[in-house]
Each structure stands twice: as C-alpha cells, then as structure tokens.
Amino acid sequence: MINNLSSIIDRLKNRRGMYIFDNSYNSLASFLIGYISAINDYNSDINISNEFRNWLHKREGIHTSLHWSAYILNECAKKNEEKACQILIELLYEFCQEKKEKII
C-alpha cells in the first residue's frame, strides 16, 4: 500500500495538474485524503492517515488535535498555499521512504 502512495506522490511531484483541478493546497490535500482513504478502505490492516499523523507528530516533536493537512498549512507553511503544497509532498515522500525501509 505504501508503494501505491509513493507512486502517486512521484506523479504529483512532476505533473500535479494531471490529478487535481487547480494548484490550491485544499485541492491537493483533498485529493490525497481521498486517495489515502481509498487505500485504507481496500486494506483495513493499515490506516495510512493515522500512521502519517503519528509519524508527523514524532518528526515535528508535537502533539496536536489538528488534522495533518491543517497542521501542514497553518503551522509548517504559515498559510502559504504554494509552500504548503511543497511541504506536503516532501513530507509524504519522506514518510513513504521510511515505511519502505522498514518493510525491506
């Protein structure tokens, strides 16, 4: 399942316009939330959204009740949508790479 997420992250890095309507952070985050939800529905053994949230909390040394998408926009990118898009893709890429290493 991580391979699927990693693959879509690679595609979003290079051709975001093929997958989302506009370049807004909300469109990107909504697409990824839906994609991750579909993965979670397909494989109930893993909840990638929760794992990503926990990973992000540990990485950032925080604990917040904000959804990870809101945390990235409001705290990491200080409400700069372009920066938030870059940060979200970078964080999810890093998350996937770490998960792949643990699997191998």
Side-chain angles (χ1 to χ4, degrees):
M1 297 303 142
I2 291 297
N3 288 335
N4 293 346
L5 181 58
S6 181
S7 177
I8 200 69
I9 296 302
D10 285 338
R11 291 185 219 148
L12 286 167
K13 279 184 189 178
N14 299 317
R15 301 190 70 174
R16 191 179 323 161
M18 297 255 328
Y19 297 92
I20 60 171
F21 179 70
D22 58 23
N23 279 329
S24 74
Y25 178 74
N26 285 333
S27 292
L28 177 61
S30 294
F31 173 82
L32 287 166
I33 290 166
Y35 191 87
I36 290 169
S37 292
I39 291 172
N40 291 342
D41 288 347
Y42 181 73
N43 182 358
S44 61
D45 294 340
I46 185 171
N47 187 320
I48 293 176
S49 188
N50 285 345
E51 286 197 26
F52 179 64
R53 182 196 66 229
N54 294 338
W55 174 88
L56 183 61
H57 285 188
K58 185 177 178 182
R59 184 186 184 278
E60 297 290 306
I62 54 103
H63 182 76
T64 180
S65 61
L66 287 175
H67 188 270
W68 54 259
S69 62
Y71 175 78
I72 291 168
L73 176 62
N74 296 323
E75 302 300 324
C76 297
K78 304 298 183 208
K79 299 187 180 183
N80 178 323
E81 286 203 25
E82 172 117 8
K83 186 175 181 180
C85 288
Q86 293 170 345
I87 292 170
L88 175 55
I89 289 173
E90 288 170 9
L91 287 171
L92 278 169
Y93 180 80
E94 184 180 334
F95 168 75
C96 289
Q97 295 310 306
E98 285 186 24
K99 288 293 180 186
K100 282 182 186 178
E101 288 174 9
K102 288 182 180 178
I103 292 171
I104 294 174

PDB file of all heavy atoms in Angstrom, residues 52-63:
ATOM      1  N   PHE A  52       0.539   8.343   9.214  1.00  0.00           N
ATOM      2  CA  PHE A  52       1.198   9.571   8.784  1.00  0.00           C
ATOM      3  C   PHE A  52       1.089  10.636   9.874  1.00  0.00           C
ATOM      4  O   PHE A  52       2.061  11.320  10.172  1.00  0.00           O
ATOM      5  CB  PHE A  52       0.609  10.078   7.463  1.00  0.00           C
ATOM      6  CG  PHE A  52       1.232  11.364   6.991  1.00  0.00           C
ATOM      7  CD1 PHE A  52       2.583  11.412   6.657  1.00  0.00           C
ATOM      8  CD2 PHE A  52       0.479  12.518   6.882  1.00  0.00           C
ATOM      9  CE1 PHE A  52       3.173  12.595   6.221  1.00  0.00           C
ATOM     10  CE2 PHE A  52       1.055  13.700   6.441  1.00  0.00           C
ATOM     11  CZ  PHE A  52       2.404  13.741   6.112  1.00  0.00           C
ATOM     12  N   ARG A  53      -0.091  10.754  10.498  1.00  0.00           N
ATOM     13  CA  ARG A  53      -0.265  11.722  11.591  1.00  0.00           C
ATOM     14  C   ARG A  53       0.704  11.431  12.725  1.00  0.00           C
ATOM     15  O   ARG A  53       1.401  12.334  13.213  1.00  0.00           O
ATOM     16  CB  ARG A  53      -1.703  11.700  12.114  1.00  0.00           C
ATOM     17  CG  ARG A  53      -1.931  12.738  13.227  1.00  0.00           C
ATOM     18  CD  ARG A  53      -3.193  12.491  14.027  1.00  0.00           C
ATOM     19  NE  ARG A  53      -3.053  11.246  14.759  1.00  0.00           N
ATOM     20  CZ  ARG A  53      -3.958  10.281  14.771  1.00  0.00           C
ATOM     21  NH1 ARG A  53      -5.070  10.392  14.111  1.00  0.00           N
ATOM     22  NH2 ARG A  53      -3.743   9.182  15.467  1.00  0.00           N
ATOM     23  N   ASN A  54       0.776  10.178  13.149  1.00  0.00           N
ATOM     24  CA  ASN A  54       1.682   9.803  14.239  1.00  0.00           C
ATOM     25  C   ASN A  54       3.142  10.039  13.862  1.00  0.00           C
ATOM     26  O   ASN A  54       3.938  10.512  14.676  1.00  0.00           O
ATOM     27  CB  ASN A  54       1.463   8.336  14.638  1.00  0.00           C
ATOM     28  CG  ASN A  54       0.093   8.120  15.240  1.00  0.00           C
ATOM     29  OD1 ASN A  54      -0.550   9.043  15.738  1.00  0.00           O
ATOM     30  ND2 ASN A  54      -0.377   6.886  15.186  1.00  0.00           N
ATOM     31  N   TRP A  55       3.485   9.707  12.630  1.00  0.00           N
ATOM     32  CA  TRP A  55       4.846   9.930  12.137  1.00  0.00           C
ATOM     33  C   TRP A  55       5.168  11.425  12.146  1.00  0.00           C
ATOM     34  O   TRP A  55       6.243  11.829  12.572  1.00  0.00           O
ATOM     35  CB  TRP A  55       4.970   9.345  10.730  1.00  0.00           C
ATOM     36  CG  TRP A  55       6.270   9.630  10.054  1.00  0.00           C
ATOM     37  CD1 TRP A  55       7.409   8.878  10.142  1.00  0.00           C
ATOM     38  CD2 TRP A  55       6.581  10.729   9.197  1.00  0.00           C
ATOM     39  NE1 TRP A  55       8.410   9.448   9.378  1.00  0.00           N
ATOM     40  CE2 TRP A  55       7.922  10.583   8.787  1.00  0.00           C
ATOM     41  CE3 TRP A  55       5.856  11.816   8.717  1.00  0.00           C
ATOM     42  CZ2 TRP A  55       8.547  11.487   7.933  1.00  0.00           C
ATOM     43  CZ3 TRP A  55       6.473  12.717   7.866  1.00  0.00           C
ATOM     44  CH2 TRP A  55       7.814  12.556   7.487  1.00  0.00           C
ATOM     45  N   LEU A  56       4.216  12.240  11.686  1.00  0.00           N
ATOM     46  CA  LEU A  56       4.408  13.692  11.637  1.00  0.00           C
ATOM     47  C   LEU A  56       4.561  14.264  13.044  1.00  0.00           C
ATOM     48  O   LEU A  56       5.440  15.099  13.285  1.00  0.00           O
ATOM     49  CB  LEU A  56       3.238  14.359  10.911  1.00  0.00           C
ATOM     50  CG  LEU A  56       3.309  15.855  10.698  1.00  0.00           C
ATOM     51  CD1 LEU A  56       4.517  16.238   9.851  1.00  0.00           C
ATOM     52  CD2 LEU A  56       2.023  16.357  10.050  1.00  0.00           C
ATOM     53  N   HIS A  57       3.745  13.813  13.970  1.00  0.00           N
ATOM     54  CA  HIS A  57       3.855  14.275  15.367  1.00  0.00           C
ATOM     55  C   HIS A  57       5.245  13.963  15.914  1.00  0.00           C
ATOM     56  O   HIS A  57       5.883  14.818  16.543  1.00  0.00           O
ATOM     57  CB  HIS A  57       2.807  13.613  16.247  1.00  0.00           C
ATOM     58  CG  HIS A  57       1.434  14.161  16.054  1.00  0.00           C
ATOM     59  ND1 HIS A  57       0.384  13.804  16.859  1.00  0.00           N
ATOM     60  CD2 HIS A  57       0.898  15.033  15.156  1.00  0.00           C
ATOM     61  CE1 HIS A  57      -0.721  14.420  16.478  1.00  0.00           C
ATOM     62  NE2 HIS A  57      -0.423  15.161  15.439  1.00  0.00           N
ATOM     63  N   LYS A  58       5.697  12.747  15.683  1.00  0.00           N
ATOM     64  CA  LYS A  58       7.020  12.344  16.175  1.00  0.00           C
ATOM     65  C   LYS A  58       8.120  13.152  15.489  1.00  0.00           C
ATOM     66  O   LYS A  58       9.040  13.646  16.152  1.00  0.00           O
ATOM     67  CB  LYS A  58       7.229  10.848  15.934  1.00  0.00           C
ATOM     68  CG  LYS A  58       8.509  10.313  16.503  1.00  0.00           C
ATOM     69  CD  LYS A  58       8.609   8.810  16.301  1.00  0.00           C
ATOM     70  CE  LYS A  58       9.932   8.298  16.844  1.00  0.00           C
ATOM     71  NZ  LYS A  58      10.091   6.860  16.634  1.00  0.00           N
ATOM     72  N   ARG A  59       8.023  13.298  14.184  1.00  0.00           N
ATOM     73  CA  ARG A  59       9.044  14.024  13.419  1.00  0.00           C
ATOM     74  C   ARG A  59       9.139  15.480  13.855  1.00  0.00           C
ATOM     75  O   ARG A  59      10.215  16.038  13.984  1.00  0.00           O
ATOM     76  CB  ARG A  59       8.722  13.962  11.927  1.00  0.00           C
ATOM     77  CG  ARG A  59       9.781  14.620  11.046  1.00  0.00           C
ATOM     78  CD  ARG A  59       9.307  14.646   9.588  1.00  0.00           C
ATOM     79  NE  ARG A  59      10.304  15.179   8.702  1.00  0.00           N
ATOM     80  CZ  ARG A  59      10.508  16.480   8.505  1.00  0.00           C
ATOM     81  NH1 ARG A  59       9.819  17.368   9.157  1.00  0.00           N
ATOM     82  NH2 ARG A  59      11.443  16.883   7.648  1.00  0.00           N
ATOM     83  N   GLU A  60       7.984  16.102  14.073  1.00  0.00           N
ATOM     84  CA  GLU A  60       7.940  17.521  14.429  1.00  0.00           C
ATOM     85  C   GLU A  60       8.057  17.750  15.938  1.00  0.00           C
ATOM     86  O   GLU A  60       8.188  18.897  16.368  1.00  0.00           O
ATOM     87  CB  GLU A  60       6.632  18.151  13.925  1.00  0.00           C
ATOM     88  CG  GLU A  60       6.483  18.127  12.409  1.00  0.00           C
ATOM     89  CD  GLU A  60       7.448  19.078  11.723  1.00  0.00           C
ATOM     90  OE1 GLU A  60       7.457  20.261  12.085  1.00  0.00           O
ATOM     91  OE2 GLU A  60       8.186  18.624  10.827  1.00  0.00           O
ATOM     92  N   GLY A  61       7.965  16.687  16.715  1.00  0.00           N
ATOM     93  CA  GLY A  61       8.027  16.831  18.162  1.00  0.00           C
ATOM     94  C   GLY A  61       6.827  17.568  18.735  1.00  0.00           C
ATOM     95  O   GLY A  61       6.949  18.356  19.665  1.00  0.00           O
ATOM     96  N   ILE A  62       5.663  17.298  18.165  1.00  0.00           N
ATOM     97  CA  ILE A  62       4.436  17.981  18.584  1.00  0.00           C
ATOM     98  C   ILE A  62       3.335  16.954  18.843  1.00  0.00           C
ATOM     99  O   ILE A  62       3.456  15.785  18.482  1.00  0.00           O
ATOM    100  CB  ILE A  62       3.947  18.994  17.517  1.00  0.00           C
ATOM    101  CG1 ILE A  62       3.783  18.327  16.109  1.00  0.00           C
ATOM    102  CG2 ILE A  62       4.903  20.139  17.394  1.00  0.00           C
ATOM    103  CD1 ILE A  62       2.412  18.026  15.728  1.00  0.00           C
ATOM    104  N   HIS A  63       2.281  17.429  19.444  1.00  0.00           N
ATOM    105  CA  HIS A  63       1.039  16.682  19.525  1.00  0.00           C
ATOM    106  C   HIS A  63      -0.069  17.705  19.373  1.00  0.00           C
ATOM    107  O   HIS A  63      -0.136  18.667  20.128  1.00  0.00           O
ATOM    108  CB  HIS A  63       0.894  15.917  20.843  1.00  0.00           C
ATOM    109  CG  HIS A  63      -0.361  15.119  20.882  1.00  0.00           C
ATOM    110  ND1 HIS A  63      -0.497  13.937  20.191  1.00  0.00           N
ATOM    111  CD2 HIS A  63      -1.543  15.350  21.482  1.00  0.00           C
ATOM    112  CE1 HIS A  63      -1.725  13.477  20.377  1.00  0.00           C
ATOM    113  NE2 HIS A  63      -2.375  14.307  21.164  1.00  0.00           N
TER     114      HIS A  63
END
